[in-house]
Amino acid sequence: MMKKPGTEAHKTVPVEFQRLPVAPIVYAHGAWGGVGPRGDVIANFYVDDQFLPNLVITPTEGGTLREVRTEDSKTLRITRSIVATVLLNPQVALSVGEWLVQKAKEAKAHSADVTPEPAE
């Protein structure tokens, strides 16, 4: 049985991080998910984008091309695309959640310290 850190029987184990070629860095506007059927936390990270309407290109009588939108382009619609899905057991989800909150506080404090230089 391993004893608590700081005691004589405690051993340190080095951990080396590596990025796999199939692990892209993605930007996320938010996350959506919940508890899965096996009790894991499912987090779907997504980005939002303005919906791009479908267009049909038709020739005019003068021989030029004209774009015709096939949908109402005045109605704002958002496309929400999932860029990554992460499954976490409850213990890891809590640990990651605490880590994210701490890092967000550090980032917010750092950005408050940075004052942009005035434009000339």
Side-chain angles (χ1 to χ4, degrees), residues 59-103:
T60 64
E61 290 183 20
T64 61
L65 297 177
R66 179 173 63 111
E67 291 182 356
V68 178
R69 295 176 189 249
T70 60
E71 296 157 359
D72 180 13
S73 61
K74 294 178 185 174
T75 304
L76 177 63
R77 291 172 48 193
I78 300 295
T79 300
R80 184 161 280 178
S81 302
I82 295 173
V83 293
T85 299
V86 179
L87 300 174
L88 305 164
N89 71 40
Q91 181 180 358
V92 172
L94 285 170
S95 178
V96 169
E98 290 169 2
W99 179 82
L100 277 172
V101 168
Q102 179 61 38
K103 295 303 169 188

Side-chain angles (χ1 to χ4, degrees), residues 13-75:
V13 178
V15 176
E16 183 178 310
F17 288 91
Q18 67 177 4
R19 178 172 305 282
L20 297 176
V22 294
I25 297 173
V26 296
Y27 183 84
H29 290 127
W32 178 85
V35 178
R38 297 182 189 264
D40 290 328
V41 176
I42 301 170
N44 296 291
F45 293 91
Y46 61 82
V47 293
D48 289 336
D49 199 3
Q50 185 174 351
F51 177 78
L52 299 174
N54 291 325
L55 298 175
V56 174
I57 308 292
T58 59
T60 64
E61 290 183 20
T64 61
L65 297 177
R66 179 173 63 111
E67 291 182 356
V68 178
R69 295 176 189 249
T70 60
E71 296 157 359
D72 180 13
S73 61
K74 294 178 185 174
T75 304

Side-chain angles (χ1 to χ4, degrees), residues 2 10-16:
M2 191 175 242
H10 176 73
K11 294 182 181 180
T12 59
V13 178
V15 176
E16 183 178 310

